Amino acid sequence: MSSTKERVMEDASNKNPRQTAGFISLLTFSWLSDILKLGSKHPLEEKHLFPLERSFQAKDLVDFLEKEWSAEVRWSQQTRTKPRLWRAMLKIIPYREYIILALLRIFYSLSMNLLPLMVWLFLKSISSGSSEISYASSLPFVVCISVTSVARNIFATHGLFKGEMCSVRFKVAVVGLVYKKIVVTSFQRAVIRHGMISNILRTQTRYFRSSLLSTRKILSVNRCVLEDSVSENTINLVSNDAQVIEKLGHHAFNASFAILDVILALILLWYLVAWQALIGVFFFVLVIVYDTLAAHKSGTIRAKAATQTDRRLEVIKEIVSGIRLVKMYAWEGNFRKLVAQLRRKEMSLIRVRGFFYLHYLRPVLH
């Protein structure tokens, strides 16, 4: 047990074992066995965890997103279009990752639609008119069913894993960029308030962007400046809206190449059921139309709920900043009623959105 712990800690201090893992280890995630075994026996500490790969480090992700966003802004100014953050976000992931993710999704679709075909052929082989079952003709179908089931699970697991890792990088880059812009803006306001000349402003800003040690100096200039910059919209963006990005990989893997799934399913149904399958296809088209309308309505309600959340956080921020006046004039009850009223409006919109969410999203996930 001690040797395993020492080996895990030694590996963690050197490099991530995923970088040196072989094909079988990557396929079965066995490179996580040592840390999982250690975690089942002892509480894990920070020193036991593996170091992050370079592509997952927050500093590099934030810097790369900031660079791509600046290029997107310049390009939009030249073309007189509105800059889009999602275009800059997509560029922080190498194209090789997207190609691998697309191949995993395609192979998953093929294996998922091939499995029922193999089951149908197997049942057809054993339900023939002869009284004896031919193992020579049935065994290949059994092998194909087993291989297809294993392959489908492997493609789905690795596709979801890679999609989740891409989502984590998106979230880290966006949240880090928001906080970086807040601190840079706070530093510039603090310099202006203290009457420094523009040359010092450019020098200190350049030093801040190149070194994380300047953050402590910046924040020590004036704490109130940072509080003025962090609005309720920023808090809601980081704490609520950015969490949706983390779920993007799971939904994107399921929704991408959905047209391929539909085409393969139509071919399979036409081959197995013939024209009667059009009845099910017609119902499926109705479900797609309903899901599209429900998703649009859910997005509209989500925007209204976000507005109520911003308003509630704004009131709470005012209460906290003026807590002495609230206590002196005994306004606790009035503000409590105001916050409760805003929260009720927010929850009512969230409940209505949950109705559409359960009806159009759960069938997609399951």
Side-chain angles (χ1 to χ4, degrees):
M1 181 177 63
S2 59
S3 61
T4 303
K5 182 178 179 180
E6 293 176 358
R7 181 155 49 89
V8 171
M9 293 177 61
E10 183 179 357
D11 294 340
S13 60
N14 294 330
K15 61 173 60 177
N16 195 310
R18 184 170 176 265
Q19 297 175 340
T20 58
F23 176 75
I24 301 299
S25 180
L26 292 174
L27 189 65
T28 59
F29 294 95
S30 60
W31 54 275
L32 288 171
S33 300
D34 292 336
I35 191 68
L36 293 177
K37 187 183 298 182
L38 180 63
S40 64
K41 299 177 181 179
H42 303 282
L44 292 178
E45 300 178 4
E46 185 177 359
K47 61 182 180 181
H48 299 149
L49 302 179
F50 303 132
L52 285 175
E53 300 178 26
R54 184 66 182 271
S55 59
F56 289 92
Q57 293 182 3
K59 182 179 182 300
D60 296 335
L61 291 173
V62 173
D63 293 340
F64 195 51
L65 179 59
E66 185 179 18
K67 177 182 176 181
E68 294 297 336
W69 174 246
S70 300
E72 175 68 20
V73 172
R74 289 193 299 269
W75 181 82
S76 63
Q77 291 175 353
Q78 295 175 358
T79 58
R80 295 182 179 180
T81 57
K82 187 177 181 180
R84 300 294 182 180
L85 181 61
W86 62 269
R87 285 199 289 255
M89 289 173 56
L90 291 178
K91 293 180 181 179
I92 69 176
I93 305 295
Y95 291 106
R96 179 174 174 269
E97 299 286 337
Y98 294 125
I99 294 175
I100 295 175
L101 188 61
L103 291 176
L104 290 172
R105 184 61 177 86
I106 292 174
F107 289 143
Y108 171 74
S109 298
L110 294 176
S111 60
M112 182 180 62
N113 291 276
L114 186 62
L115 182 60
L117 178 61
M118 291 295 103
V119 173
W120 181 80
L121 293 175
F122 170 71
L123 295 176
K124 184 179 180 180
S125 65
I126 64 176
S127 61
S128 58
S130 59
S131 58
E132 295 182 0
I133 299 176
S134 177
Y135 294 99
S137 61
S138 302
L139 184 59
F141 297 118
V142 174
V143 175
C144 289
I145 291 173
S146 303
V147 173
T148 306
S149 300
V150 174
R152 185 189 63 173
N153 292 331
I154 291 176
F155 294 143
T157 302
H158 283 271
L160 291 174
F161 174 75
K162 190 166 289 292
E164 293 286 350
M165 292 300 99
C166 292
S167 301
V168 169
R169 280 188 274 186
F170 288 148
K171 176 188 173 183
V172 170
V174 171
V175 174
L177 182 62
V178 170
Y179 276 120
K180 185 175 181 179
K181 292 297 183 181
I182 289 174
V183 180
V184 169
T185 304
S186 303
F187 170 66
Q188 293 175 350
R189 290 183 180 180
V191 172
I192 293 175
R193 285 188 180 184
H194 284 73
M196 297 182 181
I197 60 177
S198 59
N199 186 22
I200 298 179
L201 174 61
R202 289 193 297 267
T203 302
Q204 293 296 331
T205 304
R206 199 160 49 242
Y207 175 71
F208 161 73
R209 291 179 176 177
S210 63
S211 175
L212 295 177
L213 296 178
S214 300
T215 305
R216 183 172 54 188
K217 296 180 180 180
I218 294 169
L219 297 179
S220 63
V221 174
N222 195 339
R223 181 178 58 86
C224 297
V225 177
L226 183 60
E227 294 178 355
D228 294 339
S229 301
V230 182
S231 64
E232 63 282 350
N233 296 328
T234 304
I235 297 174
N236 188 27
L237 174 66
V238 174
S239 62
N240 190 12
D241 296 344
Q243 302 298 328
V244 181
I245 303 177
E246 193 171 353
K247 304 176 183 178
L248 180 63
H250 182 82
H251 300 327
F253 182 79
N254 290 324
S256 61
F257 295 95
I259 298 178
L260 178 62
D261 293 336
V262 172
I263 294 174
L264 292 176
L266 288 176
I267 295 174
L268 187 61
L269 289 173
W270 186 267
Y271 176 74
L272 298 178
V273 187
W275 64 269
Q276 292 85 351
L278 296 178
I279 301 176
V281 173
F282 177 73
F283 177 76
F284 189 69
V285 171
L286 292 179
V287 172
I288 293 177
V289 173
Y290 170 76
D291 289 347
T292 303
L293 296 177
H296 182 268
K297 186 64 176 179
S298 177
T300 304
I301 298 174
R302 173 68 181 85
K304 295 180 180 179
T307 303
Q308 293 295 329
T309 303
D310 295 339
R311 173 57 181 163
R312 178 173 58 85
L313 293 176
E314 181 181 2
V315 173
I316 292 177
K317 181 181 178 182
E318 293 176 356
I319 294 174
V320 173
S321 60
I323 190 64
R324 293 184 178 179
L325 291 176
V326 173
K327 290 292 185 180
M328 183 173 63
Y329 291 102
W331 288 341
E332 295 92 339
N334 296 332
F335 280 105
R336 187 185 299 111
K337 293 179 181 178
L338 178 60
V339 173
Q341 181 181 2
L342 294 174
R343 182 59 177 172
R344 282 194 299 269
K345 293 180 179 179
E346 179 185 355
M347 288 304 301
S348 62
L349 293 173
I350 292 176
R351 291 189 184 97
V352 174
R353 177 175 176 265
F355 172 78
F356 293 99
Y357 182 87
L358 292 176
H359 279 74
Y360 84 87
L361 189 57
R362 288 182 63 88
V364 175
L365 296 179
H366 296 283

Coordinates of all heavy atoms in Angstrom, one line a residue, residues 296-345:
H296 N -37.1 26.8 -28.2 CA -37.1 28.3 -28.4 C -37.8 28.9 -27.3 O -37.4 30.0 -26.8 CB -37.8 28.6 -29.8 CG -37.8 30.0 -30.1 ND1 -38.9 30.8 -29.7 CD2 -36.9 30.8 -30.7 CE1 -38.7 32.1 -30.1 NE2 -37.5 32.1 -30.7
K297 N -39.0 28.4 -26.8 CA -39.7 29.0 -25.7 C -38.9 28.9 -24.4 O -38.9 29.8 -23.6 CB -41.0 28.2 -25.6 CG -42.0 28.8 -24.5 CD -42.4 30.2 -24.9 CE -43.4 30.7 -23.9 NZ -43.9 32.1 -24.3
S298 N -38.2 27.8 -24.2 CA -37.4 27.7 -23.0 C -36.3 28.7 -23.0 O -36.0 29.2 -22.0 CB -36.8 26.3 -22.9 OG -36.0 26.1 -21.8
G299 N -35.7 29.0 -24.2 CA -34.6 30.0 -24.2 C -35.2 31.4 -23.9 O -34.5 32.2 -23.3
T300 N -36.4 31.7 -24.4 CA -37.0 33.0 -24.1 C -37.2 33.1 -22.6 O -37.0 34.2 -22.0 CB -38.3 33.1 -24.9 OG1 -38.1 33.0 -26.3 CG2 -38.9 34.5 -24.6
I301 N -37.8 32.1 -22.0 CA -38.0 32.1 -20.5 C -36.7 32.2 -19.8 O -36.7 32.9 -18.7 CB -38.9 30.9 -20.1 CG1 -40.2 30.9 -20.8 CG2 -39.1 30.9 -18.6 CD1 -41.1 29.7 -20.6
R302 N -35.7 31.5 -20.3 CA -34.4 31.6 -19.6 C -33.8 33.0 -19.6 O -33.3 33.5 -18.6 CB -33.4 30.6 -20.3 CG -32.0 30.7 -19.8 CD -31.9 30.2 -18.4 NE -30.5 30.3 -17.9 CZ -30.0 31.4 -17.4 NH1 -30.7 32.5 -17.2 NH2 -28.7 31.3 -16.9
A303 N -34.0 33.7 -20.7 CA -33.6 35.1 -20.7 C -34.3 36.0 -19.7 O -33.7 36.9 -19.0 CB -33.7 35.7 -22.1
K304 N -35.6 35.8 -19.6 CA -36.4 36.5 -18.6 C -36.0 36.2 -17.2 O -35.9 37.1 -16.3 CB -37.9 36.3 -18.8 CG -38.5 36.7 -20.1 CD -40.0 36.4 -20.2 CE -40.5 36.9 -21.5 NZ -42.0 36.6 -21.7
A305 N -35.7 34.9 -16.9 CA -35.3 34.5 -15.6 C -33.9 35.1 -15.3 O -33.6 35.5 -14.1 CB -35.2 33.0 -15.5
A306 N -33.0 35.2 -16.3 CA -31.7 35.8 -16.0 C -31.8 37.3 -15.7 O -31.1 37.8 -14.9 CB -30.9 35.6 -17.3
T307 N -32.8 38.0 -16.3 CA -33.1 39.4 -16.0 C -33.5 39.5 -14.5 O -33.0 40.4 -13.8 CB -34.1 40.0 -16.9 OG1 -33.7 39.8 -18.3 CG2 -34.3 41.4 -16.6
Q308 N -34.4 38.7 -14.1 CA -34.8 38.7 -12.7 C -33.7 38.4 -11.7 O -33.5 38.9 -10.6 CB -36.0 37.7 -12.5 CG -37.3 38.1 -13.2 CD -37.8 39.4 -12.6 OE1 -37.7 39.7 -11.4 NE2 -38.5 40.1 -13.5
T309 N -32.8 37.4 -12.1 CA -31.7 37.1 -11.3 C -30.7 38.3 -11.2 O -30.2 38.6 -10.1 CB -30.9 35.9 -11.9 OG1 -31.8 34.8 -12.0 CG2 -29.7 35.5 -11.0
D310 N -30.5 39.0 -12.3 CA -29.6 40.2 -12.2 C -30.2 41.2 -11.3 O -29.5 41.9 -10.5 CB -29.4 40.7 -13.6 CG -28.7 39.8 -14.5 OD1 -28.0 38.9 -14.0 OD2 -28.8 39.9 -15.8
R311 N -31.5 41.4 -11.4 CA -32.2 42.4 -10.5 C -32.1 42.0 -9.1 O -31.8 42.9 -8.2 CB -33.6 42.5 -10.9 CG -34.5 43.4 -10.0 CD -33.9 44.8 -9.9 NE -34.8 45.6 -9.1 CZ -34.3 46.8 -8.5 NH1 -33.1 47.2 -8.8 NH2 -35.1 47.5 -7.7
R312 N -32.3 40.8 -8.7 CA -32.2 40.3 -7.4 C -30.7 40.5 -6.8 O -30.5 40.9 -5.7 CB -32.6 38.8 -7.3 CG -32.5 38.2 -5.9 CD -33.1 36.9 -5.8 NE -32.4 36.0 -6.8 CZ -31.3 35.3 -6.5 NH1 -30.7 35.4 -5.3 NH2 -30.8 34.5 -7.4
L313 N -29.7 40.1 -7.6 CA -28.3 40.3 -7.2 C -28.0 41.8 -7.0 O -27.2 42.1 -6.1 CB -27.4 39.6 -8.2 CG -27.5 38.1 -8.3 CD1 -26.6 37.6 -9.4 CD2 -27.1 37.5 -7.0
E314 N -28.6 42.6 -7.8 CA -28.3 44.0 -7.7 C -28.9 44.6 -6.4 O -28.2 45.3 -5.7 CB -29.0 44.8 -8.9 CG -28.7 46.3 -8.8 CD -29.4 47.0 -10.0 OE1 -30.1 46.3 -10.8 OE2 -29.3 48.3 -10.0
V315 N -30.1 44.1 -6.0 CA -30.6 44.5 -4.7 C -29.8 44.0 -3.5 O -29.6 44.7 -2.6 CB -32.1 44.0 -4.6 CG1 -32.7 44.3 -3.2 CG2 -33.0 44.7 -5.7
I316 N -29.4 42.8 -3.6 CA -28.6 42.2 -2.6 C -27.2 42.9 -2.4 O -26.8 43.2 -1.3 CB -28.3 40.7 -2.8 CG1 -29.6 39.9 -2.7 CG2 -27.3 40.1 -1.9 CD1 -29.5 38.4 -3.0
K317 N -26.7 43.3 -3.6 CA -25.4 44.1 -3.5 C -25.6 45.4 -2.8 O -24.8 45.9 -2.0 CB -24.9 44.3 -4.9 CG -23.6 45.0 -5.0 CD -23.1 45.2 -6.4 CE -21.8 46.0 -6.5 NZ -21.4 46.3 -7.9
E318 N -26.8 46.1 -3.1 CA -27.1 47.3 -2.5 C -27.3 47.2 -1.0 O -26.9 48.0 -0.2 CB -28.3 48.0 -3.1 CG -28.1 48.4 -4.6 CD -29.4 48.9 -5.2 OE1 -30.5 48.8 -4.5 OE2 -29.4 49.4 -6.3
I319 N -27.9 46.1 -0.6 CA -28.1 45.8 0.8 C -26.8 45.6 1.6 O -26.6 46.2 2.6 CB -29.0 44.6 1.0 CG1 -30.4 44.9 0.5 CG2 -29.1 44.2 2.5 CD1 -31.3 43.7 0.5
V320 N -25.9 44.8 1.0 CA -24.6 44.5 1.6 C -23.8 45.8 1.7 O -23.1 46.1 2.7 CB -23.9 43.4 0.8 CG1 -22.5 43.2 1.4 CG2 -24.7 42.1 0.9
S321 N -23.8 46.6 0.6 CA -23.0 47.8 0.6 C -23.5 48.9 1.6 O -22.7 49.7 2.1 CB -22.9 48.4 -0.8 OG -24.2 48.7 -1.3
G322 N -24.8 48.9 1.8 CA -25.4 49.9 2.7 C -26.0 49.2 4.0 O -27.0 49.6 4.5
I323 N -25.3 48.2 4.5 CA -25.9 47.4 5.6 C -26.0 48.2 6.9 O -26.8 48.0 7.7 CB -25.0 46.1 5.8 CG1 -25.6 45.2 6.8 CG2 -23.6 46.5 6.3 CD1 -26.9 44.6 6.4
R324 N -25.1 49.2 7.0 CA -25.2 50.1 8.2 C -26.4 50.9 8.2 O -27.1 51.0 9.3 CB -23.9 51.0 8.3 CG -22.6 50.2 8.5 CD -21.5 51.2 8.7 NE -20.2 50.5 8.9 CZ -19.0 51.1 9.1 NH1 -18.9 52.4 9.0 NH2 -18.0 50.4 9.3
L325 N -26.8 51.5 7.1 CA -28.0 52.2 7.0 C -29.3 51.3 7.2 O -30.3 51.7 7.8 CB -28.1 53.0 5.7 CG -27.2 54.1 5.4 CD1 -27.3 54.7 4.0 CD2 -27.4 55.2 6.5
V326 N -29.2 50.1 6.6 CA -30.3 49.2 6.8 C -30.5 48.9 8.2 O -31.7 48.8 8.7 CB -30.0 47.9 6.0 CG1 -31.1 46.9 6.2 CG2 -30.0 48.2 4.5
K327 N -29.4 48.6 9.0 CA -29.5 48.3 10.4 C -30.0 49.5 11.2 O -30.8 49.4 12.2 CB -28.2 47.8 10.9 CG -27.8 46.4 10.4 CD -28.7 45.4 11.0 CE -28.2 44.0 10.5 NZ -29.1 42.9 11.1
M328 N -29.5 50.7 10.8 CA -29.8 51.9 11.6 C -31.3 52.3 11.5 O -31.9 52.7 12.5 CB -28.9 53.1 11.2 CG -29.1 54.4 12.0 SD -27.9 55.6 11.5 CE -28.3 55.9 9.8
Y329 N -31.8 52.1 10.3 CA -33.2 52.5 10.1 C -34.2 51.3 10.2 O -35.4 51.5 9.9 CB -33.4 53.2 8.8 CG -32.8 54.6 8.7 CD1 -31.5 54.8 8.1 CD2 -33.4 55.7 9.3 CE1 -30.9 56.0 8.0 CE2 -32.8 56.9 9.2 CZ -31.6 57.1 8.6 OH -31.0 58.3 8.6
A330 N -33.6 50.1 10.5 CA -34.5 48.9 10.7 C -35.3 48.6 9.4 O -36.5 48.4 9.4 CB -35.4 49.1 11.9
W331 N -34.5 48.6 8.3 CA -35.2 48.3 7.0 C -35.0 46.8 6.6 O -35.3 46.5 5.5 CB -34.5 49.2 5.9 CG -34.9 50.6 6.0 CD1 -35.9 51.2 6.6 CD2 -34.2 51.7 5.4 NE1 -36.0 52.5 6.5 CE2 -34.9 52.9 5.7 CE3 -33.0 51.8 4.6 CZ2 -34.5 54.1 5.2 CZ3 -32.6 53.0 4.1 CH2 -33.4 54.2 4.5
E332 N -34.7 46.0 7.6 CA -34.5 44.6 7.2 C -35.7 43.9 6.7 O -35.7 43.2 5.7 CB -34.0 43.8 8.5 CG -32.7 44.2 9.0 CD -32.8 45.2 10.1 OE1 -33.8 45.9 10.1 OE2 -31.9 45.4 10.9
G333 N -36.9 44.2 7.3 CA -38.1 43.6 6.8 C -38.5 44.0 5.4 O -38.9 43.2 4.6
N334 N -38.3 45.3 5.1 CA -38.7 45.8 3.8 C -37.8 45.2 2.7 O -38.3 44.8 1.7 CB -38.5 47.3 3.8 CG -39.5 48.0 4.7 OD1 -40.6 47.5 5.0 ND2 -39.1 49.2 5.2
F335 N -36.5 45.1 3.0 CA -35.6 44.5 2.0 C -35.8 43.0 1.9 O -35.7 42.4 0.8 CB -34.2 44.9 2.3 CG -33.7 46.2 1.9 CD1 -33.6 47.2 2.8 CD2 -33.5 46.5 0.5 CE1 -33.2 48.5 2.4 CE2 -33.1 47.8 0.1 CZ -33.0 48.8 1.1
R336 N -36.2 42.4 3.0 CA -36.4 41.0 3.0 C -37.7 40.7 2.1 O -37.6 39.7 1.3 CB -36.7 40.4 4.4 CG -36.8 38.9 4.4 CD -37.2 38.4 5.8 NE -36.2 38.8 6.8 CZ -36.3 39.7 7.7 NH1 -37.5 40.3 7.9 NH2 -35.4 39.9 8.6
K337 N -38.7 41.5 2.2 CA -39.9 41.3 1.3 C -39.5 41.6 -0.1 O -40.0 40.9 -1.0 CB -41.0 42.3 1.8 CG -41.6 41.9 3.2 CD -42.6 42.9 3.6 CE -43.2 42.6 4.9 NZ -44.2 43.6 5.4
L338 N -38.7 42.6 -0.4 CA -38.3 42.9 -1.8 C -37.5 41.8 -2.4 O -37.8 41.3 -3.5 CB -37.5 44.2 -1.8 CG -37.0 44.6 -3.2 CD1 -38.2 44.9 -4.1 CD2 -36.2 45.9 -3.0
V339 N -36.6 41.2 -1.7 CA -35.8 40.1 -2.2 C -36.6 38.9 -2.4 O -36.5 38.1 -3.4 CB -34.6 39.8 -1.3 CG1 -33.8 38.6 -1.7 CG2 -33.6 41.0 -1.2
A340 N -37.5 38.6 -1.4 CA -38.4 37.5 -1.5 C -39.4 37.6 -2.7 O -39.6 36.6 -3.5 CB -39.2 37.3 -0.3
Q341 N -39.8 38.8 -3.0 CA -40.7 39.0 -4.2 C -40.0 38.8 -5.5 O -40.5 38.1 -6.4 CB -41.3 40.4 -4.1 CG -42.2 40.8 -5.3 CD -42.7 42.2 -5.2 OE1 -42.3 43.0 -4.3 NE2 -43.6 42.6 -6.1
L342 N -38.7 39.3 -5.6 CA -37.9 39.1 -6.8 C -37.6 37.6 -6.9 O -37.6 37.1 -8.0 CB -36.6 39.9 -6.7 CG -36.8 41.4 -6.7 CD1 -35.5 42.1 -6.5 CD2 -37.4 41.8 -8.1
R343 N -37.3 36.9 -5.8 CA -37.0 35.5 -5.9 C -38.2 34.7 -6.3 O -38.1 33.7 -7.1 CB -36.5 35.0 -4.5 CG -36.1 33.5 -4.5 CD -35.0 33.2 -5.5 NE -34.6 31.8 -5.4 CZ -33.8 31.2 -6.2 NH1 -33.3 31.9 -7.2 NH2 -33.4 30.0 -6.1
R344 N -39.4 35.1 -5.9 CA -40.6 34.4 -6.3 C -40.9 34.5 -7.8 O -41.2 33.5 -8.5 CB -41.9 34.9 -5.6 CG -42.0 34.3 -4.1 CD -43.3 34.6 -3.6 NE -43.6 36.0 -3.5 CZ -43.3 36.8 -2.4 NH1 -42.8 36.2 -1.3 NH2 -43.6 38.1 -2.4
K345 N -40.6 35.7 -8.4 CA -40.8 35.9 -9.8 C -39.7 35.1 -10.6 O -40.0 34.5 -11.6 CB -40.6 37.4 -10.1 CG -41.7 38.3 -9.6 CD -41.4 39.7 -10.0 CE -42.5 40.7 -9.5 NZ -42.3 42.1 -9.9

